[in-house]
Amino acid sequence: MGNGRYLLEHTDDRAARGARSGLGLRVLDQWTGRARDTSSLSGGESFMASLALALGLADAVREESGGLDLGTLFIDEGFGSLDDDSLEQVLTVLDGLREGGRAVGVVSHVADLRARIPHQVVVTKGTAGSAVAVRAGTAVPAA
């Protein structure tokens, strides 16, 4: 994603004072040829990097587990920070996953996104609790 601009690469750099830092990643920006910290990505870029990482990890799990496919992917909010071109690119990837047999769940409050997703589980909160409605095959009009 990102039109091939970014590559994620592993780093063994440690957090300050040698603290545990988890999976060390940095971004190689193909446009500038420079590696930089993932914290320098914009909100939309971070979202796309996270999605690419999740998809890559799902593929790695499938390969390591003898072909066991993780057929469901849930994505929480993050679409609100994407520009129109990036949003289109992400939705194309998600459509391809869905067409390939994966169930893709998107948790979002973005009206434009609701208009693009025809099958929805809509949760509405109220004073007596939450109500759930399933809408299949029709998109909710943007508010």
Side-chain angles (χ1 to χ4, degrees):
M1 288 187 279
N3 294 321
R5 178 177 178 182
Y6 302 112
L7 294 175
L8 290 176
E9 58 182 27
H10 178 262
T11 178
D12 288 325
D13 291 347
R14 304 282 282 170
R17 294 181 294 276
R20 293 181 55 113
S21 55
L23 176 62
L25 293 174
R26 67 179 160 227
V27 177
L28 177 60
D29 187 328
Q30 301 278 67
W31 288 5
T32 65
R34 294 189 178 137
R36 55 189 170 115
D37 193 80
T38 55
S39 65
S40 69
L41 294 172
S42 70
E45 291 168 337
S46 292
F47 175 79
M48 290 176 58
S50 296
L51 179 57
L53 184 58
L55 295 173
L57 289 173
D59 289 344
V61 167
R62 182 179 59 236
E63 293 299 319
E64 290 295 319
S65 66
L68 177 64
D69 194 17
L70 299 176
T72 304
L73 176 68
F74 283 95
I75 301 168
D76 197 2
E77 192 65 67
F79 289 96
S81 58
L82 296 178
D83 60 64
D84 290 341
D85 291 337
S86 297
L87 177 62
E88 186 62 38
Q89 187 176 17
V90 168
L91 290 174
T92 299
V93 168
L94 296 179
D95 284 342
L97 292 170
R98 185 183 45 78
E99 290 168 3
R102 280 195 173 142
V104 178
V106 177
V107 179
S108 182
H109 301 92
V110 177
D112 290 342
L113 189 57
R114 285 195 312 261
R116 298 277 308 265
I117 299 176
H119 303 286
Q120 302 177 10
V121 176
V122 179
V123 179
T124 308
K125 65 182 176 181
T127 57
S130 297
V132 177
V134 177
R135 298 191 174 123
T138 59
V140 174

